[in-house]
Coordinates of all heavy atoms in Angstrom, one line a residue:
M1 N -2.8 4.0 4.0 CA -3.1 5.4 3.5 C -1.9 6.0 2.6 O -2.2 6.7 1.6 CB -3.5 6.2 4.6 CG -3.9 7.5 4.2 SD -4.1 8.9 5.2 CE -5.2 8.8 6.4
L2 N -0.7 5.8 3.1 CA 0.5 6.4 2.4 C 0.5 5.8 0.9 O 0.8 6.6 0.0 CB 1.7 6.0 3.2 CG 3.0 6.7 2.6 CD1 2.9 8.2 2.3 CD2 4.2 6.4 3.4
E3 N 0.3 4.5 0.9 CA 0.3 3.9 -0.5 C -0.8 4.5 -1.4 O -0.5 4.7 -2.6 CB 0.3 2.4 -0.5 CG 1.4 1.8 0.0 CD 2.7 2.0 -0.7 OE1 2.7 2.0 -2.0 OE2 3.7 2.3 -0.2
E4 N -1.9 4.8 -0.9 CA -3.0 5.3 -1.8 C -2.6 6.8 -2.1 O -2.9 7.2 -3.2 CB -4.2 5.4 -1.0 CG -4.9 4.0 -0.8 CD -6.4 4.1 0.0 OE1 -7.0 5.2 -0.2 OE2 -6.5 3.2 0.8
W5 N -2.0 7.5 -1.3 CA -1.4 8.9 -1.5 C -0.4 8.8 -2.6 O -0.5 9.5 -3.6 CB -1.0 9.6 -0.2 CG -0.3 10.9 -0.5 CD1 1.0 11.2 -0.5 CD2 -0.9 12.0 -1.0 NE1 1.3 12.4 -0.8 CE2 0.1 13.0 -1.1 CE3 -2.2 12.4 -1.2 CZ2 -0.1 14.3 -1.5 CZ3 -2.5 13.7 -1.6 CH2 -1.4 14.7 -1.7
I6 N 0.5 7.9 -2.5 CA 1.5 7.9 -3.6 C 0.9 7.6 -4.8 O 1.3 8.1 -5.9 CB 2.6 6.8 -3.1 CG1 3.4 7.3 -1.9 CG2 3.6 6.6 -4.3 CD1 4.3 6.2 -1.3
D7 N -0.1 6.6 -4.9 CA -0.7 6.2 -6.1 C -1.4 7.3 -6.7 O -1.3 7.6 -7.9 CB -1.6 5.1 -6.0 CG -1.0 3.8 -5.6 OD1 0.3 3.6 -5.8 OD2 -1.6 2.9 -5.1
A8 N -2.0 8.1 -5.9 CA -2.9 9.3 -6.4 C -1.8 10.4 -6.9 O -2.3 11.0 -8.0 CB -3.7 9.9 -5.2
V9 N -0.7 10.7 -6.2 CA 0.2 11.6 -6.7 C 0.8 11.3 -7.9 O 0.9 12.1 -8.9 CB 1.2 11.9 -5.5 CG1 2.4 12.7 -6.1 CG2 0.6 12.6 -4.4
C10 N 1.2 10.0 -8.1 CA 1.8 9.5 -9.4 C 0.8 9.7 -10.5 O 1.1 10.2 -11.6 CB 2.2 8.1 -9.1 SG 3.6 7.8 -8.2
L11 N -0.5 9.3 -10.2 CA -1.5 9.6 -11.3 C -1.6 11.0 -11.7 O -1.7 11.5 -12.8 CB -2.8 9.0 -10.8 CG -4.0 9.0 -11.7 CD1 -3.7 8.1 -13.0 CD2 -5.2 8.5 -11.2
E12 N -1.7 11.9 -10.7 CA -1.9 13.4 -10.9 C -0.7 13.9 -11.7 O -0.9 14.7 -12.5 CB -2.0 14.1 -9.6 CG -2.2 15.5 -9.7 CD -3.5 15.9 -10.3 OE1 -4.5 15.1 -10.2 OE2 -3.5 17.0 -10.8
L13 N 0.6 13.4 -11.4 CA 1.8 14.0 -12.1 C 2.2 13.2 -13.2 O 3.3 13.6 -13.7 CB 2.9 14.0 -11.1 CG 2.6 14.9 -9.8 CD1 3.7 15.0 -8.8 CD2 2.3 16.4 -10.3
G14 N 1.5 12.1 -13.6 CA 1.8 11.4 -14.6 C 3.1 10.5 -14.5 O 3.9 10.3 -15.6
L15 N 3.3 10.0 -13.3 CA 4.5 9.2 -13.0 C 4.2 7.8 -12.9 O 3.1 7.4 -12.7 CB 5.1 9.7 -11.6 CG 5.5 11.1 -11.4 CD1 5.9 11.4 -10.1 CD2 6.7 11.5 -12.4
E16 N 5.1 6.9 -13.2 CA 5.0 5.5 -13.1 C 5.2 5.1 -11.7 O 6.4 5.2 -11.1 CB 6.0 4.8 -14.0 CG 5.7 5.0 -15.5 CD 4.4 4.3 -15.9 OE1 4.1 3.3 -15.3 OE2 3.7 4.9 -16.8
R17 N 4.2 4.6 -11.1 CA 4.4 4.2 -9.7 C 5.6 3.2 -9.3 O 6.2 3.3 -8.4 CB 3.1 3.5 -9.2 CG 3.0 2.9 -7.7 CD 3.3 4.1 -6.7 NE 3.4 3.5 -5.3 CZ 4.5 3.3 -4.7 NH1 5.7 3.4 -5.3 NH2 4.4 2.8 -3.4
R18 N 5.7 2.3 -10.3 CA 6.9 1.3 -10.1 C 8.2 1.9 -10.1 O 9.2 1.3 -9.7 CB 6.7 0.2 -11.2 CG 7.0 0.7 -12.6 CD 6.9 -0.4 -13.6 NE 7.2 -0.1 -14.9 CZ 6.3 0.5 -15.7 NH1 5.1 0.7 -15.3 NH2 6.8 1.0 -16.9
E19 N 8.3 3.2 -10.5 CA 9.7 3.9 -10.6 C 9.8 4.6 -9.2 O 11.0 5.1 -9.0 CB 9.7 4.8 -11.6 CG 9.6 4.2 -13.1 CD 9.6 5.3 -14.2 OE1 9.7 6.5 -13.9 OE2 9.5 4.9 -15.4
I20 N 8.9 4.6 -8.4 CA 9.0 5.3 -7.1 C 9.5 4.4 -5.9 O 8.8 3.4 -5.7 CB 7.7 6.0 -6.6 CG1 7.0 6.8 -7.9 CG2 7.8 6.8 -5.3 CD1 7.9 7.9 -8.4
D21 N 10.6 4.7 -5.4 CA 11.2 3.8 -4.3 C 10.9 4.5 -3.0 O 11.7 5.4 -2.5 CB 12.7 3.6 -4.5 CG 13.2 2.6 -3.5 OD1 12.6 2.4 -2.5 OD2 14.3 2.1 -3.8
R22 N 9.6 4.2 -2.4 CA 9.2 5.0 -1.1 C 10.2 4.9 0.0 O 10.6 5.9 0.5 CB 7.8 4.4 -0.8 CG 7.3 4.9 0.5 CD 6.3 4.1 1.2 NE 7.0 2.9 1.6 CZ 6.3 1.8 2.2 NH1 5.0 1.8 2.2 NH2 6.9 0.8 2.5
D23 N 10.7 3.6 0.2 CA 11.6 3.6 1.2 C 13.0 4.3 1.1 O 13.4 4.7 2.1 CB 11.9 2.0 1.5 CG 10.6 1.2 2.0 OD1 9.8 1.9 2.5 OD2 10.7 0.0 1.7
L24 N 13.5 4.3 -0.1 CA 14.7 5.1 -0.4 C 14.6 6.6 0.0 O 15.3 7.1 0.7 CB 15.0 5.0 -1.9 CG 16.2 5.8 -2.3 CD1 17.5 5.0 -2.0 CD2 16.1 6.0 -3.8
V25 N 13.4 7.1 -0.4 CA 13.1 8.6 -0.1 C 12.9 8.8 1.4 O 13.4 9.7 2.0 CB 12.0 9.0 -1.0 CG1 11.5 10.5 -0.6 CG2 12.2 9.0 -2.4
L26 N 12.1 7.9 1.9 CA 11.8 8.0 3.5 C 13.1 7.9 4.3 O 13.2 8.6 5.3 CB 10.7 7.1 3.9 CG 9.3 7.4 3.3 CD1 8.3 6.3 3.8 CD2 8.9 8.8 3.7
D27 N 13.9 7.0 3.9 CA 15.1 6.6 4.6 C 16.1 7.9 4.5 O 16.7 8.3 5.4 CB 15.9 5.4 4.1 CG 15.1 4.1 4.5 OD1 14.3 4.2 5.4 OD2 15.5 3.1 3.9
L28 N 16.2 8.5 3.3 CA 17.0 9.6 3.2 C 16.5 10.8 4.0 O 17.2 11.4 4.7 CB 17.2 10.0 1.7 CG 17.8 11.4 1.4 CD1 19.2 11.3 1.9 CD2 17.7 11.7 -0.1
A29 N 15.2 11.1 4.0 CA 14.6 12.1 4.7 C 14.8 11.9 6.3 O 15.1 12.9 7.0 CB 13.1 12.1 4.5
R30 N 14.8 10.6 6.8 CA 15.1 10.4 8.1 C 16.5 10.7 8.5 O 16.8 11.4 9.4 CB 14.8 9.0 8.4 CG 15.1 8.5 9.9 CD 15.3 7.0 10.1 NE 16.4 6.6 9.3 CZ 16.4 5.5 8.5 NH1 15.3 4.8 8.5 NH2 17.5 5.1 7.8
D31 N 17.4 10.3 7.6 CA 18.8 10.5 7.9 C 19.2 12.0 7.9 O 20.0 12.5 8.8 CB 19.7 9.8 6.7 CG 19.6 8.3 6.8 OD1 19.2 7.8 7.9 OD2 19.9 7.6 5.8
V32 N 18.6 12.7 7.0 CA 18.8 14.2 7.0 C 18.2 14.9 8.2 O 18.8 15.7 8.8 CB 18.4 14.8 5.7 CG1 18.4 16.4 5.7 CG2 19.1 14.3 4.6
A33 N 17.0 14.5 8.5 CA 16.3 15.1 9.7 C 17.1 14.8 11.0 O 17.2 15.7 11.8 CB 14.9 14.4 9.8
H34 N 17.7 13.7 11.1 CA 18.3 13.3 12.4 C 19.7 13.9 12.3 O 20.4 14.2 13.3 CB 18.4 11.8 12.6 CG 17.0 11.3 12.9 ND1 16.8 10.0 13.2 CD2 15.9 11.9 13.2 CE1 15.5 9.9 13.3 NE2 14.9 11.1 13.3
G35 N 20.4 13.8 11.0 CA 21.9 14.2 11.1 C 22.1 15.7 10.7 O 23.2 16.2 11.0
V36 N 21.2 16.4 10.1 CA 21.5 17.7 9.7 C 20.3 18.7 10.5 O 20.6 19.3 11.4 CB 21.2 17.9 8.2 CG1 21.4 19.4 7.8 CG2 22.2 17.0 7.6
A37 N 19.0 18.7 10.0 CA 18.1 19.4 10.6 C 16.7 18.9 9.9 O 16.6 18.6 8.8 CB 18.2 20.9 10.4
R38 N 15.7 19.0 10.7 CA 14.3 18.5 10.3 C 13.9 19.2 9.0 O 13.4 18.5 8.1 CB 13.3 18.6 11.4 CG 13.4 17.6 12.6 CD 12.4 17.8 13.6 NE 11.1 17.4 13.1 CZ 10.6 16.1 13.4 NH1 11.4 15.3 14.2 NH2 9.5 15.8 13.0
P39 N 14.0 20.4 8.9 CA 13.6 21.2 7.7 C 14.4 20.8 6.5 O 14.0 20.9 5.4 CB 13.8 22.7 8.0 CG 13.8 22.7 9.4 CD 14.4 21.5 9.9
G40 N 15.6 20.2 6.7 CA 16.4 19.7 5.6 C 15.9 18.5 4.9 O 16.2 18.2 3.7
A41 N 15.0 17.7 5.6 CA 14.6 16.5 5.1 C 13.7 16.7 3.7 O 14.0 16.1 2.7 CB 13.7 15.7 6.0
P42 N 12.6 17.6 3.8 CA 11.8 17.7 2.5 C 12.7 18.5 1.4 O 12.5 18.0 0.2 CB 10.6 18.5 3.0 CG 11.0 19.1 4.2 CD 12.1 18.2 4.9
L43 N 13.4 19.3 1.8 CA 14.4 20.1 0.9 C 15.4 19.1 0.1 O 15.4 19.1 -1.1 CB 15.1 21.2 1.5 CG 14.2 22.3 2.1 CD1 15.0 23.4 2.8 CD2 13.4 23.0 1.0
T44 N 15.8 18.2 0.9 CA 16.9 17.2 0.4 C 16.2 16.3 -0.5 O 16.7 16.0 -1.6 CB 17.6 16.6 1.4 OG1 18.3 17.5 2.3 CG2 18.6 15.6 0.9
T45 N 15.0 15.8 -0.1 CA 14.3 14.9 -1.0 C 13.9 15.5 -2.3 O 13.9 14.9 -3.3 CB 13.1 14.3 -0.3 OG1 12.2 15.2 0.3 CG2 13.7 13.3 0.9
F46 N 13.5 16.8 -2.2 CA 13.2 17.6 -3.4 C 14.4 17.7 -4.4 O 14.3 17.4 -5.6 CB 12.7 18.9 -3.0 CG 12.5 19.9 -4.2 CD1 11.4 19.8 -5.1 CD2 13.3 20.9 -4.6 CE1 11.2 20.6 -6.2 CE2 13.2 21.7 -5.6 CZ 12.1 21.5 -6.4
L47 N 15.5 18.0 -3.8 CA 16.8 18.1 -4.5 C 17.2 16.7 -5.1 O 17.7 16.6 -6.3 CB 17.9 18.6 -3.6 CG 17.8 20.1 -3.1 CD1 18.8 20.4 -2.1 CD2 17.8 21.1 -4.4
L48 N 17.0 15.6 -4.5 CA 17.1 14.3 -5.0 C 16.2 14.1 -6.2 O 16.7 13.6 -7.2 CB 16.7 13.2 -3.9 CG 16.7 11.9 -4.5 CD1 18.2 11.3 -4.7 CD2 16.1 10.8 -3.4
G49 N 15.0 14.6 -6.1 CA 14.1 14.4 -7.3 C 14.6 15.2 -8.5 O 14.5 14.7 -9.6
L50 N 15.2 16.4 -8.2 CA 15.7 17.1 -9.3 C 16.9 16.5 -9.9 O 16.9 16.3 -11.2 CB 16.2 18.6 -8.8 CG 15.0 19.6 -8.4 CD1 15.8 20.8 -7.9 CD2 14.1 19.8 -9.6
A51 N 17.7 15.9 -9.1 CA 18.9 15.1 -9.7 C 18.5 14.0 -10.5 O 19.0 13.7 -11.5 CB 19.8 14.8 -8.5
V52 N 17.5 13.2 -10.0 CA 17.1 12.1 -10.7 C 16.4 12.5 -12.0 O 16.6 11.9 -13.0 CB 15.9 11.2 -9.7 CG1 15.3 10.2 -10.6 CG2 16.8 10.6 -8.5
G53 N 15.7 13.5 -11.9 CA 15.0 14.0 -13.1 C 16.2 14.5 -14.3 O 15.8 14.5 -15.4
R54 N 17.3 14.7 -13.8 CA 18.3 15.1 -14.7 C 19.2 14.0 -15.1 O 20.2 14.1 -15.7 CB 19.2 16.2 -14.1 CG 18.4 17.5 -14.0 CD 19.2 18.6 -13.5 NE 18.4 19.9 -13.4 CZ 18.8 21.0 -12.8 NH1 19.9 21.0 -12.1 NH2 18.0 22.0 -12.8
G55 N 18.8 12.7 -14.6 CA 19.5 11.5 -15.1 C 20.4 10.8 -14.0 O 20.9 9.8 -14.3
T56 N 20.5 11.4 -12.8 CA 21.3 10.7 -11.8 C 20.5 9.5 -11.3 O 19.4 9.7 -10.9 CB 21.7 11.7 -10.7 OG1 22.4 12.8 -11.3 CG2 22.5 11.1 -9.6
P57 N 21.1 8.3 -11.2 CA 20.4 7.3 -10.5 C 20.0 7.6 -9.1 O 20.8 8.0 -8.3 CB 21.4 6.0 -10.6 CG 22.3 6.4 -11.7 CD 22.4 8.0 -11.7
A58 N 18.7 7.2 -8.7 CA 18.3 7.6 -7.4 C 19.0 7.0 -6.3 O 19.5 7.6 -5.2 CB 16.8 7.1 -7.3
R59 N 19.4 5.7 -6.4 CA 20.1 5.0 -5.4 C 21.6 5.6 -5.2 O 22.0 5.7 -4.1 CB 20.2 3.5 -5.6 CG 18.8 2.8 -5.5 CD 19.1 1.3 -5.1 NE 17.8 0.8 -4.7 CZ 17.2 0.9 -3.5 NH1 17.8 1.6 -2.6 NH2 15.9 0.4 -3.3
D60 N 22.2 5.9 -6.2 CA 23.5 6.6 -6.1 C 23.4 7.9 -5.5 O 24.2 8.2 -4.5 CB 24.1 6.7 -7.5 CG 24.4 5.4 -8.2 OD1 24.4 4.4 -7.6 OD2 24.6 5.4 -9.4
A61 N 22.5 8.8 -5.9 CA 22.3 10.1 -5.2 C 22.0 10.0 -3.9 O 22.5 10.7 -2.9 CB 21.4 10.9 -6.0
A62 N 21.1 9.0 -3.5 CA 20.5 9.0 -2.2 C 21.8 8.4 -1.2 O 22.0 8.9 -0.2 CB 19.4 8.0 -2.0
A63 N 22.5 7.6 -1.8 CA 23.6 7.0 -1.0 C 24.7 8.2 -0.6 O 25.2 8.2 0.5 CB 24.4 5.9 -1.7
R64 N 24.9 9.0 -1.6 CA 25.9 10.1 -1.5 C 25.3 11.1 -0.4 O 26.0 11.5 0.4 CB 26.1 10.8 -2.8 CG 27.0 9.9 -3.7 CD 27.0 10.4 -5.1 NE 27.3 11.8 -5.3 CZ 27.0 12.5 -6.4 NH1 26.5 11.7 -7.4 NH2 27.1 13.7 -6.5
L65 N 24.0 11.3 -0.5 CA 23.3 12.4 0.4 C 23.3 11.8 1.8 O 23.5 12.5 2.8 CB 22.1 12.7 -0.2 CG 22.1 13.5 -1.4 CD1 20.6 13.7 -2.0 CD2 22.8 14.8 -1.3
T66 N 22.9 10.5 1.9 CA 23.0 9.8 3.3 C 24.3 9.9 3.9 O 24.5 10.2 5.1 CB 22.5 8.4 3.2 OG1 21.1 8.5 2.8 CG2 22.5 7.7 4.5
E67 N 25.4 9.6 3.2 CA 26.7 9.7 3.6 C 27.1 11.1 4.1 O 27.6 11.2 5.2 CB 27.7 9.2 2.6 CG 29.2 9.2 3.0 CD 30.1 8.6 2.1 OE1 29.7 7.8 1.2 OE2 31.2 9.1 2.0
M68 N 26.7 12.1 3.4 CA 26.9 13.4 3.8 C 26.2 13.8 5.1 O 26.7 14.3 6.0 CB 26.4 14.4 2.7 CG 27.3 14.5 1.5 SD 26.4 15.6 0.2 CE 26.4 17.2 1.1
A69 N 24.9 13.4 5.2 CA 24.1 13.6 6.4 C 24.7 13.0 7.6 O 24.6 13.6 8.7 CB 22.6 13.2 6.2
E70 N 25.1 11.9 7.5 CA 25.6 11.0 8.6 C 27.0 11.7 9.2 O 27.2 11.6 10.3 CB 25.9 9.6 8.3 CG 24.6 8.8 8.1 CD 24.8 7.4 7.5 OE1 25.9 7.0 7.0 OE2 23.8 6.6 7.5
G71 N 27.7 12.3 8.3 CA 28.9 12.9 8.8 C 28.8 14.4 9.0 O 29.8 15.1 9.2
W72 N 27.6 15.0 8.8 CA 27.5 16.4 8.8 C 27.8 17.1 10.2 O 27.3 16.6 11.2 CB 26.1 16.8 8.4 CG 25.9 18.3 8.1 CD1 25.4 19.2 8.9 CD2 26.5 19.0 7.0 NE1 25.4 20.4 8.4 CE2 26.2 20.3 7.2 CE3 27.2 18.6 5.9 CZ2 26.4 21.3 6.2 CZ3 27.4 19.6 5.0 CH2 27.1 20.9 5.1
R73 N 28.6 18.1 10.1 CA 28.8 19.0 11.2 C 28.5 20.4 10.8 O 28.9 20.8 9.7 CB 30.2 18.8 11.8 CG 30.5 17.3 12.3 CD 31.9 17.2 12.8 NE 32.8 18.1 12.0 CZ 33.8 17.6 11.1 NH1 33.8 16.3 11.0 NH2 34.5 18.4 10.4
P74 N 28.0 21.2 11.7 CA 27.8 22.6 11.3 C 29.2 23.3 11.0 O 30.2 22.9 11.5 CB 27.1 23.2 12.5 CG 26.6 22.1 13.3 CD 27.5 20.9 12.9
T75 N 29.1 24.3 10.2 CA 30.3 25.0 9.8 C 31.2 25.5 10.9 O 32.3 25.4 10.9 CB 30.0 26.2 8.8 OG1 29.3 25.7 7.8 CG2 31.2 27.0 8.3
E76 N 30.5 26.0 12.1 CA 31.3 26.6 13.1 C 32.0 25.4 13.8 O 33.1 25.6 14.3 CB 30.3 27.3 14.0 CG 29.2 26.3 14.6 CD 28.2 27.1 15.3 OE1 27.8 28.2 14.9 OE2 27.7 26.6 16.4
D77 N 31.5 24.2 13.9 CA 32.2 23.0 14.4 C 33.4 22.7 13.6 O 34.4 22.5 14.2 CB 31.3 21.8 14.5 CG 30.2 21.9 15.5 OD1 30.3 22.9 16.4 OD2 29.3 21.0 15.6
R78 N 33.3 22.7 12.3 CA 34.4 22.5 11.4 C 35.5 23.5 11.6 O 36.7 23.2 11.6 CB 34.0 22.3 10.0 CG 33.0 21.1 9.7 CD 32.8 20.7 8.2 NE 32.4 21.9 7.4 CZ 31.1 22.1 7.2 NH1 30.1 21.2 7.5 NH2 30.7 23.1 6.4
A79 N 34.9 24.7 11.6 CA 36.0 25.8 11.8 C 36.7 25.8 13.1 O 37.8 26.0 13.2 CB 35.3 27.2 11.7
R80 N 35.9 25.4 14.2 CA 36.6 25.2 15.5 C 37.6 24.2 15.5 O 38.7 24.3 16.0 CB 35.5 25.0 16.6 CG 36.0 25.0 18.0 CD 34.8 24.9 19.1 NE 33.7 24.2 18.7 CZ 32.5 24.9 18.4 NH1 32.4 26.1 18.4 NH2 31.5 24.2 18.0
E81 N 37.3 23.0 14.9 CA 38.2 21.9 14.7 C 39.5 22.4 14.0 O 40.5 22.0 14.3 CB 37.5 20.7 14.1 CG 36.7 20.0 15.0 CD 36.0 18.7 14.4 OE1 36.5 18.3 13.2 OE2 35.1 18.1 15.0
A82 N 39.3 23.0 13.0 CA 40.4 23.5 12.1 C 41.3 24.4 12.9 O 42.5 24.4 12.8 CB 39.9 24.1 10.8
G83 N 40.6 25.3 13.7 CA 41.4 26.2 14.5 C 42.3 25.5 15.6 O 43.3 25.9 15.9
E84 N 41.6 24.4 16.2 CA 42.3 23.7 17.2 C 43.6 23.0 16.7 O 44.4 22.7 17.3 CB 41.3 22.8 17.9 CG 40.3 23.4 18.6 CD 39.1 22.5 19.2 OE1 39.3 21.2 19.0 OE2 38.3 22.9 19.8
T85 N 43.4 22.5 15.4 CA 44.5 21.8 14.8 C 45.4 22.6 13.9 O 46.4 22.1 13.4 CB 43.9 20.6 13.9 OG1 43.1 21.1 12.9 CG2 43.1 19.7 14.9
G86 N 45.0 23.9 13.7 CA 45.8 24.8 12.8 C 45.5 24.6 11.4 O 46.2 25.1 10.4
E87 N 44.5 23.7 11.0 CA 44.2 23.4 9.6 C 43.2 24.5 9.1 O 42.6 25.1 9.8 CB 43.5 22.1 9.5 CG 44.5 20.9 9.8 CD 43.7 19.6 9.9 OE1 42.5 19.5 9.5 OE2 44.2 18.6 10.3
R88 N 43.3 24.6 7.7 CA 42.2 25.4 7.0 C 41.5 24.7 5.9 O 42.2 23.8 5.4 CB 43.0 26.6 6.3 CG 43.8 27.4 7.3 CD 43.2 28.8 7.2 NE 43.9 29.7 8.2 CZ 43.2 30.5 8.9 NH1 41.9 30.7 8.8 NH2 43.8 31.3 9.7
D89 N 40.2 25.1 5.7 CA 39.4 24.4 4.6 C 39.9 25.0 3.4 O 40.2 26.0 3.2 CB 38.0 24.6 4.9 CG 37.5 23.6 6.0 OD1 38.3 22.7 6.4 OD2 36.3 23.7 6.3

C-alpha cells in the first residue's frame, strides 16, 4: 500500500519515482522521532526535502541530520552540563 501511495504522490507532484529513496526518508524520520521528538520527524523530513530541492544531496543531508538526532540533548541538559563543568556555549 505504501508503494502505491508513493507512486500516486509522485505522479500528482510530477516527481520521478526512481529519485525517491523511501528507506532514507523513513530511517531519518525514525531517528528523529526517537532521538529528538516524534513531531520532529515529519518536520525534519520536510526540511530535508527543501534542502534537496536546493541542491544538497539527499544522502549527505540525511546523514548529517541523523548524526544530529543521535546526539541530540535538550538545551537545558547542555546548559546543565556546561554549568557543572564551568563551560559556556
Side-chain angles (χ1 to χ4, degrees):
M1 183 191 301
L2 181 57
E3 287 301 317
E4 289 180 37
W5 171 251
I6 294 170
D7 290 343
V9 170
C10 286
L11 183 63
E12 181 68 25
L13 298 178
L15 301 171
E16 293 292 327
R17 175 61 179 99
R18 68 180 178 277
E19 294 177 5
I20 309 303
D21 188 338
R22 178 198 69 189
D23 292 338
L24 178 81
V25 174
L26 293 177
D27 289 347
L28 174 60
R30 179 200 61 225
D31 294 340
V32 171
H34 292 171
V36 181
R38 291 179 72 97
L43 295 171
T44 302
T45 57
F46 174 76
L47 295 172
L48 172 69
L50 290 177
V52 169
R54 293 181 178 169
T56 303
R59 289 209 171 275
D60 294 347
R64 290 167 43 201
L65 295 172
T66 293
E67 185 176 328
M68 285 177 62
E70 288 174 346
W72 190 255
R73 296 180 323 255
T75 303
E76 61 194 37
D77 288 350
R78 293 191 308 259
R80 188 172 27 254
E81 284 181 12
E84 290 172 4
T85 62
E87 297 174 5
R88 297 246 178 219
D89 281 353

